[in-house]
């Protein structure tokens, strides 16, 4: 069957009389990625999305296939290794989507700075090894203060000590979802948008065996049955789980809102994506990304309880981002009138999921002294003078010295989780785009 709105009615009719191997609720990157895998494995698959495909968080990200260099501050080598491995796979199968776009990391000598020039070089070297770019044209390098300012003359010069440049990639988040949706459909999966799951069905034993669906175009209701039902609704995960009367698991999501603002490129001139500490000593970092003739920047990270389908940008969000960007780019002087567009997305963050994040805060703050000890250990590890467990111990000790912190939104993990309730409902959610699930 072709993938066309003309076939939608027929696809729904067939779905209503088929028992699938796998039924996926939610057509963001997580659901689309699962569908690609199950369809390719020959499983009879159906995906139901209540809006358009990718209309949730998966079209509202920073649009980077970010390798997560920040993770290296706490030596989360696995997280970085996984991310760069996934990225390499996406590059192979969809070379038209991730584009190499080296990132500039200006380094400031100020309290709470994530990196010093010394530690950023160690982190970038380790990163290059993990990303397999050591010795290539994308290998990292350091810039002097003067070189950074030559590239980005609008940047704050005060306390600037130099910068690091390392390989990162830009993404087209919604397009990546659509490519996965199309691939799964081509492999035989039924992919239906504007189809909202409104109820969970069970067999006589109380085991989940399907869902009730409301067609958002006609308001008609129908049932779809499957052996396995997987909830990949991101920030909506708990809402969908609440539809399941036999789901005994406690709520697990803590959605946080992230806002981006867009200005004309002439207003904020950066030749390449730039990533820097907020300067507020809050452990957060902000991206400024040029695209075509515009520049966008973000994000915020605040708890969110409003309308999940339409998170909005508040004056507080704008004030927060303008303050940070105007402090880092004092020559830009961006005002409210310069903002041409904005978007807001909800991170599907999981409470109590330990780990570090990729653009917000971390598990707590390491003191500079602790971090230097880690850097030394990592250096020795890279020079094959130390074994990995020794480095891990150094990291653990440093972490133990971290003050128990109040868990602010930026400290909730971007890791993902797969849970199975007693009746068999699977829920897969997490805070970072699985570039390919
Ligand atoms: C501001 C921000 C910046 C980010 N930047 C990056 C980045 O640069 N790089 C990166 O890798 N990651 C980034 N992320 C993280 C990444 O975007 C998300 O982890 C990812 O998009 C989550 O995808 P998802 O499929 O789990 O959720 P979603 O994309 O939200 O998909 C869930 C889908 O489920 C649907 N749904 C909900 N309820 C129902 C129902 N009852 N029936 C049917 N369908 C339903 C929704 O309509 C939605 O389309 C960012 C996130 C945010 C918020």
């Amino acid at each position: 069957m072709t993938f066309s709105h003309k076939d939608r009615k027929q696809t729904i009719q067939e779905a209503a009389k088929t028992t699938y191997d796998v039924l996926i609720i939610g057509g963001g990157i997580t659901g689309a990625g699962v569908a690609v895998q199950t369809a390719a494995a020959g499983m009879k698959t159906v995906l139901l999305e209540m809006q358009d495909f990718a209309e949730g968080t998966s079209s509202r990200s920073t649009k980077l296939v970010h390798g997560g260099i920040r993770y290296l501050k706490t030596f989360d080598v696995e997280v970085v290794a996984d991310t760069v491995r996934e990225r390499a796979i996406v590059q192979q199968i969809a070379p038209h989507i991730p584009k190499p776009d080296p990132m500039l990391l200006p380094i400031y000598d100020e309290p709470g700075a994530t990196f010093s020039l010394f530690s950023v070089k160690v982190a970038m070297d380790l990163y290059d090894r993990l990303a397999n770019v050591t010795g290539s044209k994308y290998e990292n390098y350091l810039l002097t203060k003067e070189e950074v300012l030559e590239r980005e003359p609008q940047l704050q010069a005060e306390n600037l000590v130099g910068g690091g440049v390392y390989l990162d990639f830009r993404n087209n988040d919604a397009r990546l979802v659509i490519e996965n949706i199309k691939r799964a459909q081509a492999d035989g999966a039924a992919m239906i948008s504007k189809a909202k799951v409104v109820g969970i069905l069970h067999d006589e034993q109380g085991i989940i065996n399907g869902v009730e669906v409301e067609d958002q175009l006609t308001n008609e209701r129908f049932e779809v049955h499957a052996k396995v039902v997987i909830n990949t609704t991101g920030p909506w995960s708990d809402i969908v789980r609440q539809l399941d009367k036999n789901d005994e698991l406690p709520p697990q999501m803590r959605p946080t809102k992230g806002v981006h603002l867009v200005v004309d490129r002439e207003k904020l001139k950066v030749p390449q994506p730039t990533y820097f500490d907020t300067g507020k000593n809050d452990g957060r970092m902000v991206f400024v990304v040029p695209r075509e003739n515009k520049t966008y920047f973000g994000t915020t990270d605040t708890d969110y309880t409003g309308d999940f389908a339409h998170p909005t940008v508040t004056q507080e969000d704008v004030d927060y981002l303008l303050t940070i960007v105007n402090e880092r780019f004092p020559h830009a002087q961006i005002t409210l009138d310069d903002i041409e567009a904005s978007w807001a997305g909800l991170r599907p963050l999981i409470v109590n999921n330990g780990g570090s994040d990729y653009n917000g805060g971390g598990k707590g703050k390491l003191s500079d002294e602790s971090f230097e000890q880690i850097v030394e250990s990592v250096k020795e590890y890279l020079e094959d003078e130390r074994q990995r467990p020794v480095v891990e111990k150094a990291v653990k000790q440093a972490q133990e010295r971290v003050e128990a912190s109040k868990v602010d939104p930026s400290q909730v993990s971007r890791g993902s989780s797969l849970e199975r309730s007693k009746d068999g409902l699977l829920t897969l959610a997490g805070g970072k785009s699985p570039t390919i699930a």
Side-chain angles (χ1 to χ4, degrees), residues 111-400:
T114 303
F115 291 111
S116 65
L117 268 187
F118 173 58
S119 66
V120 82
K121 183 67 181 144
V122 173
M124 292 192 306
D125 283 348
L126 185 53
Y127 184 86
D128 279 1
R129 280 205 187 187
L130 295 168
N132 222 0
V133 292
T134 307
S136 79
K137 67 172 178 174
Y138 289 120
E139 192 165 347
N140 78 77
Y141 53 91
L142 287 177
L143 294 174
T144 62
K145 173 180 178 171
E146 290 68 34
E147 286 166 335
V148 173
L149 289 173
E150 202 179 313
R151 277 188 197 202
E152 300 200 1
Q154 288 178 317
L155 258 180
Q156 169 197 343
E158 199 188 339
N159 298 333
L160 180 69
V161 289
V165 178
Y166 65 94
L167 178 63
D168 220 333
F169 284 72
R170 73 172 77 168
N171 187 19
N172 186 335
D173 51 7
R175 177 94 192 261
L176 187 60
V177 176
I178 302 301
E179 295 293 329
N180 278 278
I181 296 278
K182 280 163 56 190
R183 181 71 254 162
Q185 198 274 342
D187 286 346
M191 312 296 275
I192 310 172
S193 60
K194 304 275 179 194
K196 180 175 182 177
V197 169
V198 291
I200 303 285
L201 307 172
H202 299 92
D203 64 15
E204 293 91 56
Q205 280 78 45
I207 302 298
I208 192 164
N209 70 348
V211 297
E212 188 183 4
V213 189
E214 186 180 80
D215 185 335
Q216 300 299 286
L217 299 180
T218 63
N219 292 331
E220 284 170 25
R221 291 201 172 193
F222 57 97
E223 293 184 352
V224 184
H225 289 90
K227 293 175 197 157
V228 173
V229 176
I230 179 159
N231 170 15
T232 58
T233 54
W236 287 266
S237 298
D238 281 345
I239 298 173
V240 167
R241 283 179 47 211
Q242 278 155 17
L243 296 173
D244 182 3
K245 303 293 172 246
N246 297 358
D247 183 342
E248 79 300 346
L249 297 169
Q252 62 169 8
M253 303 307 296
R254 183 180 174 181
T256 72
K257 186 177 73 168
V259 164
H260 290 88
L261 304 177
V262 186
V263 295
D264 196 273
R265 194 161 176 173
E266 281 305 304
K267 204 60 211 169
L268 188 53
K269 291 184 197 143
V270 284
Q272 66 190 104
T274 307
Y275 186 40
F276 48 83
D277 288 318
T278 60
K280 290 177 175 293
N281 199 359
D282 58 2
R284 298 202 65 245
M285 295 182 79
V286 164
F287 293 100
V288 171
V289 184
R291 287 271 166 115
E292 309 294 334
N293 55 352
K294 303 292 168 195
T295 301
Y296 63 83
F297 50 93
T299 73
T300 57
D301 196 3
T302 49
D303 280 314
Y304 186 79
T305 51
D307 175 3
F308 280 17
H310 304 103
T312 49
V313 178
T314 63
Q315 183 67 47
E316 219 180 329
D317 299 326
V318 173
D319 291 345
Y320 175 81
L321 287 174
L322 284 191
T323 307
I324 290 166
V325 169
N326 280 329
E327 269 169 25
R328 279 297 181 231
F329 294 87
H331 304 293
Q333 282 316 311
I334 298 163
T335 67
L336 193 58
D337 290 340
D338 296 313
I339 300 167
E340 298 183 356
S342 63
W343 71 89
L346 301 180
R347 296 180 185 85
L349 302 188
I350 297 158
V351 192
N352 297 332
N353 187 358
S356 55
D357 70 8
Y358 75 100
N359 76 342
K363 293 177 204 172
K365 280 197 208 93
L366 293 174
S367 68
D368 286 349
E369 192 194 338
S370 300
F371 185 51
E372 293 312 325
Q373 282 168 12
I374 295 175
V375 167
E376 279 307 320
S377 305
V378 172
K379 245 183 103 191
E380 286 167 17
Y381 170 80
L382 286 174
E383 283 157 9
D384 293 329
E385 285 172 15
R386 279 213 195 191
Q387 296 298 307
R388 192 192 154 88
V390 180
V391 184
E392 280 172 344
K393 198 167 160 216
V395 174
K396 195 155 172 275
Q397 281 169 350
Q399 282 169 351
E400 279 166 6

Side-chain angles (χ1 to χ4, degrees), residues 406-432:
K406 288 180 246 123
V407 180
D408 72 37
S410 287
Q411 291 175 334
V412 182
S413 166
R414 267 62 173 163
S416 60
S417 99
L418 175 65
E419 297 239 16
R420 185 181 187 277
S421 66
K422 269 194 197 132
D423 66 340
L425 177 65
L426 294 171
T427 297
L428 175 61
K432 187 172 184 310

